């Protein structure tokens, strides 16, 4: 087995060109004026990328190709496709294999992860690392691809919490590569919230101290496993659910102002399992991640799975 650190060697994102406002999207979905007001004025949404004419592979493949640009395709041992909605197409089609073949990675083992919903991206990194470590080939890599098309209305609006948009991301990982080392990973599933329609109310009804315990437990454990504490984290890179949710988390966890990245909520809205990678790319490209500083990915998936991962940013533009 390999020793050392799993590394995030390249991360890329991609969006449809078409942009719609909250008001335009609300009209498309038949939302009323009060709901539209809620999403803009309270939840902090503004614009999002949606293109009904773009198919799944047009959305996913550009990010995947960008992440692979500096890699030898023959090194890719695994391709993991992460999606939050369990039904994303006909049962006769395997999107993971379709993505693999379109990328020319015919020697890679391709499979999908879905049951942790939006927490699946971080779990996919951990899964890829375990597989690569067990294989023992120091030159091998794995490609994680995340993103999906929201075909049904049930996957376009989550309660009165967020409007789902379209965005994709890809992440190339290896052992002891040139990218950001992964210091720790923690995931916890709270099965009492396994019925999606009850999750929002169940979480919202918890008293603040209980919510801080629920959300903060995986963050604190991830920091501890990385040999630091939350005060050492530069940025919490989370999902783009809504400003209220992220603001409440900032308050409950007593994070310093600006520590939780929220700028992409009005830019892109919630892009399901791709959000953490999308936010990482934005922070990296805007030169807001300091080399040598710890960064904390934190996600919550309907179901309910909480996941956290600490990385150390080494710099660079990949």
């Amino acid at each position: 087995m390999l020793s050392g650190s799993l590394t995030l060697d390249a991360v890329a994102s991609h969006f449809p060109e078409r942009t719609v406002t909250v008001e335009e999207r609300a009209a498309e979905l038949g939302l009323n004026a009060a709901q539209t007001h809620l999403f803009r004025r309270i939840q902090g949404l503004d614009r999002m990328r949606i293109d009904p004419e773009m198919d799944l592979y047009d959305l996913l493949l550009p990010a995947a190709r960008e992440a692979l640009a500096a890699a030898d395709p023959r090194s890719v041992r695994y391709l993991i496709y992460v999606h939050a909605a369990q039904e994303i197409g006909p049962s006769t089609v395997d999107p993971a294999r379709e993505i693999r073949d379109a990328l020319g990675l015919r020697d890679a083992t391709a499979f999908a992860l879905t049951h942790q919903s939006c927490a699946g991206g971080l779990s996919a990194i951990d899964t890829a690392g375990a597989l690569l470590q067990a294989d023992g080939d120091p030159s091998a890599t794995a490609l994680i691809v995340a993103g999906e098309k929201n075909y049904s209305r049930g996957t376009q609006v989550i309660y009165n919490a967020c409007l789902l948009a379209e965005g994709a991301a890809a992440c190339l990982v290896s052992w002891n590569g040139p990218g950001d080392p992964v210091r720790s990973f923690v995931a916890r599933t709270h099965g009492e919230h396994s019925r999606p329609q009850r999750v929002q109310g169940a979480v919202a009804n918890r008293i603040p101290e209980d919510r801080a315990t629920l959300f903060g437990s995986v963050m604190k454990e991830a920091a501890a496993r990385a040999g630091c504490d939350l005060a050492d984290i530069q940025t919490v890179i989370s999902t783009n659910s809504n400003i209220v949710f992220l603001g409440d988390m900032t308050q409950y966890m007593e994070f310093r102002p600006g520590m939780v990245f929220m700028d992409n909520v009005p830019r892109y809205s919630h892009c399901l399992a791709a959000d953490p990678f999308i936010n990482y790319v934005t922070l990296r490209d805007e030169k807001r991640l300091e080399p040598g500083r710890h960064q904390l990915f934190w996600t919550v998936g309907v179901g309910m799975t909480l996941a956290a991962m600490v990385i150390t940013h080494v710099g660079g533009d990949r």
Side-chain angles (χ1 to χ4, degrees):
M1 295 180 66
L2 299 174
S3 60
S5 297
L6 181 68
T7 52
L8 310 185
D9 296 339
V11 186
S13 61
H14 180 72
F15 303 92
E17 291 292 332
R18 179 177 180 261
T19 299
V20 297
T21 65
V22 167
E23 289 75 17
E24 291 169 335
R25 189 62 180 148
E28 291 173 352
L29 295 171
L31 303 182
N32 61 39
Q35 290 172 304
T36 305
H37 176 85
L38 169 70
F39 284 124
R40 175 172 289 282
R41 299 299 181 186
I42 298 175
Q43 306 291 30
L45 307 187
D46 180 20
R47 296 178 180 271
M48 61 204 73
R49 305 290 186 92
I50 300 280
D51 187 351
E53 302 302 319
M54 174 181 281
D55 70 23
L56 176 65
Y57 305 110
D58 289 335
L59 178 67
L60 298 175
L61 290 175
R65 291 191 176 107
E66 183 178 342
L68 286 170
D72 181 351
R74 295 171 297 180
S75 74
V76 181
R77 189 70 55 84
Y78 300 98
L79 185 143
I80 305 176
Y81 173 44
V82 182
H83 53 95
Q86 293 181 25
E87 294 82 22
I88 58 170
S91 61
T92 55
V93 176
D94 185 341
R97 291 187 180 183
E98 297 283 341
I99 297 165
R100 177 197 62 188
D101 293 346
L103 295 171
L105 306 176
R106 299 187 183 277
D107 293 330
T109 299
F111 60 95
L113 293 178
T114 183
H115 284 285
Q116 291 182 327
S117 300
C118 287
L122 301 186
S123 291
I125 292 175
D126 183 65
T127 299
L131 291 169
L132 292 172
Q133 186 179 41
D135 287 345
D137 181 355
S139 66
T141 64
L143 181 68
I144 293 99
V145 180
E148 55 212 88
K149 298 284 291 184
N150 304 311
Y151 295 110
S152 69
R153 192 182 187 284
T155 60
Q156 294 172 347
V157 184
I158 297 184
Y159 320 107
N160 284 320
C162 61
L163 297 175
L164 300 186
E166 295 173 357
C171 179
L172 186 73
V173 304
S174 70
W175 277 90
N176 304 314
D180 297 351
V182 176
R183 303 300 186 189
S184 64
F185 170 71
V186 177
R188 297 283 181 271
T189 297
H190 297 269
E192 66 270 28
H193 303 308
S194 61
R195 297 187 66 181
Q197 67 270 27
R198 296 183 179 177
V199 171
Q200 185 72 9
V203 174
N205 289 334
R206 289 176 177 266
I207 61 173
E209 294 81 1
D210 196 13
R211 271 182 281 185
T213 299
L214 182 70
F215 296 158
S217 60
V218 294
M219 300 187 208
K220 292 176 181 177
E221 185 174 346
R225 290 189 184 185
C228 63
D229 58 37
L230 291 179
D232 299 316
I233 300 297
Q234 182 199 356
T235 310
V236 176
I237 306 172
S238 184
T239 59
N240 298 329
S241 50
N242 61 65
I243 293 297
V244 172
F245 176 78
L246 295 177
D248 285 349
M249 184 178 70
T250 298
Q251 179 181 352
Y252 303 146
M253 296 301 300
E254 298 182 344
F255 287 140
R256 61 185 178 273
M259 184 173 172
V260 179
F261 180 66
M262 305 184 195
D263 293 6
N264 278 348
V265 172
R267 291 173 177 169
Y268 301 124
S269 193
H270 183 26
C271 299
L272 294 176
D275 273 351
F277 303 131
I278 288 170
N279 292 340
Y280 173 93
V281 170
T282 298
L283 287 161
R284 180 200 65 201
D285 291 352
E286 294 179 357
K287 310 297 184 185
R288 295 167 65 176
L289 300 177
E290 298 177 17
R293 293 291 302 276
H294 298 313
Q295 315 297 330
L296 175 69
F297 288 112
W298 182 83
T299 60
V300 55
V302 168
M304 174 174 55
T305 297
L306 302 167
M309 175 177 286
V310 174
I311 64 171
T312 302
H313 187 56
V314 298
D317 57 2
R318 294 187 64 206

